[in-house]
Amino acid sequence: MTLLETDDLTVRFGEKTVLDGIGFTLAAGERLGLIGASGSGKSLTALAILGLLPEEAQVRGSIRLDGVELLGRGDRELSRLRGNRMAMVFQEPLSALNPLMRVGNQIGGPLRLHRGLSRKKALAEAISLAEQVGLPDPENLVRAYPHQLSGGQRQRVGIAMAVASRPALLLADEPTTALDVTVQAEILGLLDDLVTEQGTALLFVTHDLAVLAQVVRRVLVMGEGRVLESGSLETILRKPAHPYTRNLLELARAASFHRAPEAAR
Amino acid sequence: MRRAARRWRTLRTVASAVVRRPTGAFGVAVAAVLVLAAVVSVWWTPFDPQATDVRAAWLLPFQRGHLLGTDRVGHDQFSQLLAGSRETLFAATGSASIAAVLGIALGVTAVLSPRPVGAVVVQAIDLVIAFPGLLLAMVLAAVYGGSLATVVAAVGISAGVGVARVSRAEIARILSQDYVLAARAAGASTGRIVRKHLLPNIAPTLIVQLSLVMALAVLAEATLTYLGYGSSPSTPSWGGLLHTQQDYIRVRPLLVIWPGLAVALTVLGFNLLGDALRDATDPRLRSGVRS
């Protein structure tokens, strides 16, 4: 069953076209990777789906969630879906958390908003979510402020916040880029488990092929605001059709070659 | 009920964090002394601050029970300082209140209203900022007559516009933060974002600004009264004291030093209090990691 479908999605800022005819479908519980260099429009695609593009953006085309058109809907209607049917995990775990709000209130926020839970119940729920995402000592941790946590813990909080109301669609925008390699693997494992367990569809945005290979099987390669090619991860890795993809692969190999001596030490 | 209890707990945490630093404790002490002096002076001063007694003129400190001595006409200086603190306190709190309300209202309007309206507000702010505050006070005094109310209005307006400009940038910065985007991605409405994310995050800078406004108002009140644009000479005030005693600075320098010291300590106290409050309201700067 199709959960998300975009068709000819085009976004312009004044004269500049930043997304050009993006079209793809995502079935319920399916995983799709969006890969491309910075500025290829992959993060914008995620924001467009949530309806969170800047006001001056002109959007055309179609985005359907559960068969219902999202484009042209009011902010109030969309905010009922955001954090409820669809949610997002951000790249920078520190800046994506309010520095003056206790972690528990941030995790429980969407629950109070969408399910009308009382403060007490939302906090209890936040504690169990914190436990679910592998945060240590959840009862005390929910009372901490974001700056008191490590980078990996903060991203776990971000994930807990996103999956709190069991969304059908989870958008992850470079969720591991700001973390060091060992923590990266843990966070990817966590996302993998949660998505499998909850049956959530995942749209995973990244520029890192190695990261992508750990979570998804199907890939969309983006460049300059367009979808350049799509297919299974294996096909893309073995027989990249587009020169842009080939270049991306070569750069990734070169990067891992440079990284190798360091890892050996 | 439970919400009130939680607010009270937060307030206590902040207060204890302020007092824990020596500078914060000094600021709190200065503010407390000022409030105490202003309140007490309404009912009691050691001598009538306005009573003249030529036989008690030019007394030195501690002579005949005059704590800080007397001047040319026998005014008890300590009583005059106590009575003058009322003017100072009113100038500080009045100006800061006007500045806070005006500043936040203008700042939020400038950022959240549609582009043309916001642009007009920003231009208006820049226009008023270009106009010096003391000059505005003198113009107001020339039109409406010099009084404490004119001083408060002038300082409040000119400082409020300054607060608006600084907080506009701050409001715009906060609203462009990832956590605001994350909150919207989690389904928060604009009202909720203003309440839960904007106001708490702008409070620290606002508090610092307002304490600086208070310091500025104390100084402006003294300056304007000294220049003759403030309250009438018959009302005791620190600026008025400086004005009348400056003629005798060579004979009795102490007479100028007391009101000067009072102004300087009050200004310093408000500045230090502001710094301590900023550190205390921000959990990242509050000492002690996890409570």
Side-chain angles (χ1 to χ4, degrees):
Chain A
M1 203 188 90
T2 307
L3 174 73
L4 177 76
E5 188 176 9
T6 74
D7 192 19
D8 195 24
L9 176 64
T10 303
V11 175
R12 251 188 247 151
F13 289 103
E15 292 294 295
K16 200 171 172 238
T17 307
V18 289
L19 285 185
D20 190 3
I22 305 292
F24 63 88
T25 59
L26 188 62
E30 200 199 352
R31 302 171 182 194
L32 175 65
L34 269 187
I35 191 162
S38 325
S40 58
K42 50 197 197 311
S43 298
L44 277 173
T45 309
L47 288 181
I49 292 167
L50 284 169
L52 289 178
L53 290 173
E55 263 174 57
E56 60 269 28
Q58 301 148 271
V59 190
R60 277 195 304 111
S62 157
I63 302 170
R64 280 189 297 275
L65 185 73
D66 299 318
V68 181
E69 181 61 52
L70 296 185
L71 284 187
R73 293 260 209 129
D75 202 51
R76 188 176 283 249
E77 268 179 280
L78 285 176
S79 68
R80 251 177 251 137
L81 295 172
R82 294 196 284 251
N84 194 13
R85 284 296 285 168
M86 50 184 180
M88 183 150 167
V89 180
F90 288 83
Q91 177 173 352
E92 274 292 338
L94 181 57
S95 62
L97 296 174
N98 185 339
L100 303 187
M101 205 190 262
R102 291 181 199 274
V103 162
N105 292 344
Q106 310 209 38
I107 297 176
L111 291 172
R112 281 172 56 81
L113 219 59
H114 298 294
R115 292 219 218 120
L117 291 193
S118 69
R119 187 178 292 273
K120 213 171 167 185
K121 278 192 183 147
L123 192 65
E125 197 73 14
I127 292 173
S128 91
L129 278 161
E131 200 170 5
Q132 218 180 324
V133 297
L135 284 163
D137 192 12
E139 277 90 4
N140 283 316
L141 189 123
V142 290
R143 271 183 282 155
Y145 289 96
H147 73 276
Q148 296 167 331
L149 308 183
S150 72
Q153 289 176 336
R154 284 176 202 140
Q155 194 56 296
R156 283 171 197 271
V157 170
I159 291 172
M161 200 175 146
V163 300
S165 51
R166 296 183 157 258
L169 170 65
L170 186 65
L171 306 159
D173 184 6
E174 308 251 9
T176 58
T177 309
L179 306 171
D180 67 55
V181 184
T182 46
V183 182
Q184 263 188 15
E186 287 171 27
I187 294 289
L188 287 176
L190 172 68
L191 266 178
D192 197 11
D193 292 347
L194 280 174
V195 167
T196 312
E197 186 190 318
Q198 299 194 351
T200 312
L202 178 69
L203 186 67
F204 196 95
V205 175
T206 186
H207 69 275
D208 191 340
L209 268 167
V211 165
L212 200 65
Q214 292 179 53
V215 243
V216 300
R217 291 282 156 266
R218 194 158 72 87
V219 180
L220 226 60
V221 183
M222 286 186 70
E224 287 163 9
R226 276 191 294 273
V227 176
L228 301 177
E229 65 179 303
S230 65
S232 75
L233 186 72
E234 224 148 81
T235 328
I236 299 274
L237 286 178
R238 292 255 169 80
K239 286 182 236 146
H242 201 279
Y244 182 90
T245 317
R246 255 174 265 150
N247 195 17
L248 204 69
L249 281 172
E250 250 162 57
L251 287 175
R253 280 197 198 105
S256 66
F257 177 73
H258 282 299
R259 232 185 277 152
E262 256 177 68
R265 237 181 270 157
Chain B
M1 205 52 215
R2 199 174 299 148
R3 178 172 286 202
R6 208 175 50 243
R7 290 245 167 85
W8 176 237
R9 214 180 314 131
T10 319
L11 208 65
R12 267 204 336 229
T13 325
V14 169
S16 70
V18 167
V19 181
R20 217 179 295 138
R21 299 155 194 262
T23 52
F26 175 76
V28 171
V30 166
V33 166
L34 181 67
V35 172
L36 195 71
V39 172
V40 165
S41 74
V42 176
W43 291 282
W44 177 84
T45 47
F47 293 84
D48 177 358
Q50 299 294 60
T52 52
D53 182 359
V54 228
R55 281 163 303 167
W58 299 123
L59 291 178
L60 289 169
F62 297 112
Q63 272 189 326
R64 284 201 247 154
H66 293 278
L67 201 57
L68 300 178
T70 61
D71 65 2
R72 179 179 63 98
V73 289
H75 282 152
D76 177 55
Q77 292 303 290
F78 184 61
S79 303
Q80 287 246 330
L81 275 185
L82 274 185
S85 67
R86 292 200 295 259
E87 302 275 299
T88 303
L89 182 65
F90 185 76
T93 51
S95 308
S97 310
I98 294 178
V101 173
L102 191 68
I104 294 177
L106 283 178
V108 171
T109 317
V111 176
L112 282 182
S113 51
R115 205 152 276 181
V117 182
V120 169
V121 174
V122 172
Q123 296 295 326
I125 290 173
D126 283 343
L127 201 72
V128 179
I129 277 185
F131 204 76
L134 283 182
L135 201 59
L136 178 67
M138 290 177 194
V139 171
L140 284 182
V143 178
Y144 299 103
S147 74
L148 185 58
T150 8
V151 172
V152 168
V155 176
I157 291 171
S158 57
V161 174
V163 169
R165 184 154 77 169
V166 178
S167 50
R168 183 188 78 90
E170 187 69 7
I171 290 169
R173 188 188 67 79
I174 291 168
L175 289 182
S176 69
Q177 293 290 304
D178 276 357
Y179 58 80
V180 171
L181 188 67
R184 292 186 65 200
S189 62
T190 307
R192 188 184 159 87
I193 283 169
V194 168
R195 268 183 296 116
K196 296 274 177 182
H197 299 280
L198 180 62
L199 290 182
N201 275 293
I202 200 169
T205 47
L206 194 70
I207 286 169
V208 181
Q209 284 189 71
L210 289 183
S211 65
L212 293 179
V213 169
M214 286 180 136
L216 182 88
V218 170
L219 210 53
E221 190 271 339
T223 310
L224 286 163
T225 318
Y226 172 81
L227 293 172
Y229 293 101
S231 45
S232 73
S234 64
T235 320
S237 72
W238 296 353
L241 279 175
L242 283 171
H243 178 82
T244 42
Q245 314 300 24
Q246 65 172 343
D247 297 340
Y248 314 107
I249 192 167
R250 281 163 198 278
V251 198
R252 282 279 194 277
L254 276 179
L255 291 180
V256 191
I257 285 176
W258 300 130
L261 205 59
V263 170
L265 281 178
T266 312
V267 171
L268 180 67
F270 278 133
N271 279 336
L272 293 178
L273 180 64
D275 281 349
L277 272 173
R278 178 196 48 200
D279 295 355
T281 46
D282 191 332
R284 284 167 298 186
L285 300 175
R286 209 185 285 154
S287 52
V289 181
R290 211 180 285 178
S291 54

